[in-house]
């Protein structure tokens, strides 16, 4: 009677052992940012209602099935079934990091371990070592510090959004790290208004990054430049000179002088702030104009030499008509034009071309030249015959011994001359 009972117990024990061989808890490692929520899940593919349990790195039971074992308001039950036990830890801290164990109470007990990694969020960086204002020529060291990061944060420097390299230093503080980055600067006037940014990048900062910006204020002595409104200065023109001082603090107001003295004729030469305006230039304005600017660090000046030139004389508009543009004969000819050029026949449908001005001008020149030649020949001919006439008329006067005889001879010659007739053709 006892032997059959012993065999039944042995058979049941064997069935439980075979069933337990397919039961293994399954877990996954977790990474969460400090202050976030960690969900720990333990699953079993085949379970015969055996209980599941979660315990923390200190081996304290958190939940046994659906029963809470540790009094911690941050730990809550999410789901408890025969095949799953999920719990959540809210407001996670660095102290929560470690190895968590899921236990399946079989014979023997099976366990699985999940490591919870907590990321330390770096704090907003601070920039130290900057005093305002900084004098030109000073050497300063800017230090950017961020703490609380885990793992160590990456610190980078930017000068007006352009990355520059700094010296990095990492120090451990418990589970977190403090990161410093230093930047040495030899300050000059070009650094005035320059923005230096310290940027912190970290795996915990997935959506954005932390950064701090400081703007340098550099004090420096002034320097001056003069801008003019026109490149060439002609008599009667309008001219404006602008004095542009650069300096910090701003050198204002500025002082205008001419040839080392005061400005003349202030009614025609107007000074408004930094501008010097000539309403109408004349040669009495010639000279060297000086703009001077001063702040507590020094004085600077710039000069402009004004030389007024004569305005160009305006000539009367030309009445000569422009030479006509001859048609382009270098282009390809069509069949009609080619036939006309070869045979000499004019196309009746073709439009009359423009007159040949060169030919007309040549003909006019020949006509004028021929006319001038004709006038000259005719003039010489007339002059020669007129001289002969006067000589014959005076023959009696040349042979007479006295004036009375000359007159008588002249009268005779006149009478004789009536017989002569001259014809001019």
């Amino acid at each position: 009677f006892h032997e059959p009972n012993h065999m039944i117990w042995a058979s049941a024990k064997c069935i439980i052992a075979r069933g337990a061989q397919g039961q293994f808890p399954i877990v996954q490692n977790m990474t969460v940012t400090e202050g976030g929520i960690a969900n720990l899940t333990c699953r079993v593919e085949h379970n015969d209602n055996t209980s599941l349990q979660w315990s923390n790195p200190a081996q304290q039971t958190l939940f046994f099935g659906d029963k809470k074992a540790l009094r911690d308001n941050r730990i809550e039950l999410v789901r408890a079934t025969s095949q799953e036990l999920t719990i959540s830890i809210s407001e996670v801290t660095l102290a929560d990091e470690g190895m968590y164990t899921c236990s399946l109470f079989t014979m023997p007990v099976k366990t699985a371990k999940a490591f919870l990694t907590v990321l330390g969020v770096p704090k907003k960086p601070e920039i130290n070592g900057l005093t305002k204002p900084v004098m030109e020529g000073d050497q300063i060291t800017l230090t950017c510090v961020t703490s609380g990061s885990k793992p160590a944060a990456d610190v980078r420097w930017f000068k007006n959004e352009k990355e520059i390299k700094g010296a990095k230093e990492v120090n451990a503080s418990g589970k977190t790290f403090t990161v410093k980055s230093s930047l040495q600067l030899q300050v000059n006037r070009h650094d005035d208004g320059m923005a230096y940014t310290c940027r912190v990048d970290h795996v915990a900062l997935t959506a954005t990054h932390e950064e701090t910006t400081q703007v340098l204020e550099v004090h420096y002595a002034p320097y001056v430049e003069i801008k003019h409104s026109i490149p060439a200065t002609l008599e009667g023109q309008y001219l404006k000179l602008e004095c542009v001082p650069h300096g910090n603090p701003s050198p204002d107001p500025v002082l205008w002088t001419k040839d080392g003295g005061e400005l003349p004729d202030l009614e025609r030469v107007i000074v408004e702030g930094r501008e010097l305006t000539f309403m109408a230039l004349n040669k009495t304005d010639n000279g060297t104009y000086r703009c001077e600017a001063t702040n507590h660090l020094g004085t600077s000046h710039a000069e402009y030499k004004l030389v007024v030139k004569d305005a160009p004389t305006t000539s009367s508009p030309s009445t000569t008509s422009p030479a006509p543009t001859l048609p382009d004969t270098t282009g390809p000819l069509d069949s009609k034009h080619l036939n006309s050029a070869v045979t000499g026949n004019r196309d009746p449908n073709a439009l009359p071309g423009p007159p040949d001005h060169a030919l007309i001008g040549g003909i006019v020149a020949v006509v004028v030249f021929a006319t001038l030649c004709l006038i000259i020949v005719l003039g010489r001919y007339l002059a020669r015959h007129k001289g002969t006439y006067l000589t014959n008329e005076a023959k009696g006067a040349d042979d007479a011994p006295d004036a009375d005889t000359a007159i008588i001879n002249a009268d005779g010659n006149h009478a004789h001359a009536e017989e002569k007739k001259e014809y001019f053709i």
Side-chain angles (χ1 to χ4, degrees):
F1 179 77
H2 293 286
E3 186 175 352
N5 290 337
H6 178 71
M7 292 179 61
I8 293 174
W9 169 251
S11 299
K13 185 176 180 181
C14 183
I15 293 172
I16 295 173
R18 285 198 302 267
Q21 289 178 358
Q23 295 176 311
F24 294 96
I26 302 172
V27 297
Q28 288 183 339
N29 295 332
M30 286 289 298
T31 300
V32 63
T33 301
E34 185 179 12
I37 300 175
N39 289 323
L40 300 177
T41 300
C42 180
R43 290 188 178 89
V44 178
E45 293 183 359
H46 305 285
N47 194 1
D48 54 358
N49 295 325
T50 304
S51 298
L52 293 171
Q53 172 186 293
W54 271 114
S55 57
N56 62 16
Q59 296 304 313
Q60 296 173 316
T61 301
L62 303 178
F63 269 88
F64 182 79
D66 58 356
K67 303 296 189 294
K68 187 175 183 178
L70 184 66
R71 291 184 177 181
D72 190 336
N73 294 331
R74 301 179 303 123
I75 303 175
E76 298 290 339
L77 177 65
V78 176
R79 187 177 184 185
T81 66
S82 61
Q83 294 182 338
E84 179 184 336
L85 178 59
T86 301
I87 64 173
S88 67
I89 307 174
S90 59
E91 299 178 6
V92 173
T93 66
L94 295 176
D96 294 323
E97 185 177 78
M99 192 72 72
Y100 287 75
T101 304
C102 176
S103 301
L104 176 64
F105 284 90
T106 59
M107 294 297 292
V109 176
K110 292 184 175 62
T111 61
K113 296 183 180 297
F115 194 89
L116 176 62
T117 301
V118 181
L119 302 177
V121 181
K123 294 181 180 178
K124 187 177 180 67
E126 297 179 358
I127 297 179
N128 302 320
L130 180 61
T131 59
K132 294 185 179 182
V134 181
M135 299 300 170
E136 185 177 25
D138 288 352
Q139 184 170 350
I140 62 174
T141 300
L142 301 181
T143 303
C144 177
V145 181
T146 179
S147 60
S149 61
K150 178 182 173 295
D154 185 24
V155 177
R156 296 188 293 165
W157 283 101
F158 292 86
K159 178 181 179 181
N160 276 9
E161 298 302 324
K162 182 179 180 181
E163 187 170 0
I164 55 179
K165 190 174 182 180
K168 185 177 178 181
E169 178 184 346
V170 179
N171 296 312
S173 177
K175 289 187 176 183
T176 62
F177 296 88
T178 299
V179 183
K180 296 181 181 180
S181 182
S182 300
L183 194 64
Q184 289 189 346
L185 303 173
Q186 184 75 34
V187 179
N188 58 49
R189 63 186 57 192
H190 302 293
D191 289 319
D192 185 41
M194 198 71 67
Y196 286 84
T197 301
C198 174
R199 181 177 299 173
V200 175
D201 294 318
H202 193 264
V203 64
L205 304 172
T206 55
T208 182
H209 47 252
E210 293 283 359
E211 66 180 27
T212 299
T213 300
Q214 291 283 357
V215 179
L216 292 189
E217 180 184 352
V218 181
H219 281 193
Y220 57 95
Y223 68 96
V224 181
E225 60 178 332
I226 296 178
K227 296 181 179 180
H228 48 87
S229 59
I230 54 176
T233 51
L234 303 178
E235 198 167 8
Q237 279 189 324
Y238 170 91
L239 172 65
K240 180 171 71 174
L241 301 179
E242 182 182 2
C243 179
V244 183
H246 304 272
N248 193 12
S250 178
D252 207 21
V254 299
L255 176 64
W256 282 100
T257 58
K258 177 187 177 184
D259 296 330
E262 295 182 355
L263 296 174
D265 194 3
L266 292 179
E267 293 184 357
R268 194 172 53 83
V269 180
I270 302 172
V271 179
E272 291 183 351
R274 300 176 178 178
E275 296 179 353
L276 179 64
T277 305
F278 300 84
M279 301 307 296
L281 290 172
N282 61 49
K283 293 189 176 181
T284 62
D285 296 323
N286 289 346
T288 300
Y289 291 83
R290 177 170 175 163
C291 169
E292 187 174 285
T294 303
N295 65 13
H296 72 277
L297 295 175
T299 301
S300 179
H301 69 272
E303 294 182 345
Y304 177 82
K305 188 174 182 180
L306 176 60
V307 178
V308 180
K309 299 178 182 179
D310 293 330
T313 56
T314 56
S315 58
S316 58
S318 174
T319 58
T320 304
S321 60
T325 303
L326 297 178
D328 184 10
T329 60
T330 61
L333 296 174
D334 57 18
S335 60
K336 289 185 178 181
H337 289 86
L338 184 61
N339 182 53
S340 175
V342 173
T343 62
N345 298 326
R346 185 178 182 88
D347 186 359
N349 296 325
L351 294 176
D356 192 342
H357 293 277
L359 179 61
I360 294 173
I363 294 174
V364 171
V366 171
V367 171
V368 171
F369 180 75
T371 304
L372 290 175
C373 291
L374 182 62
I375 292 173
I376 292 172
V377 172
L378 184 61
R380 289 176 63 86
Y381 178 80
L382 292 176
R384 185 176 60 185
H385 282 271
K386 181 178 180 180
T388 304
Y389 173 78
L390 292 176
T391 301
N392 294 331
E393 192 177 39
K395 282 183 178 180
D398 292 337
D399 298 334
D402 53 23
D404 294 334
T405 305
I407 294 173
I408 293 172
N409 291 338
D411 292 339
N413 289 331
H414 279 298
H416 181 70
E418 289 178 359
E419 297 176 1
K420 299 179 179 182
K421 293 184 180 179
E422 295 179 358
Y423 297 93
F424 298 95
I425 299 174

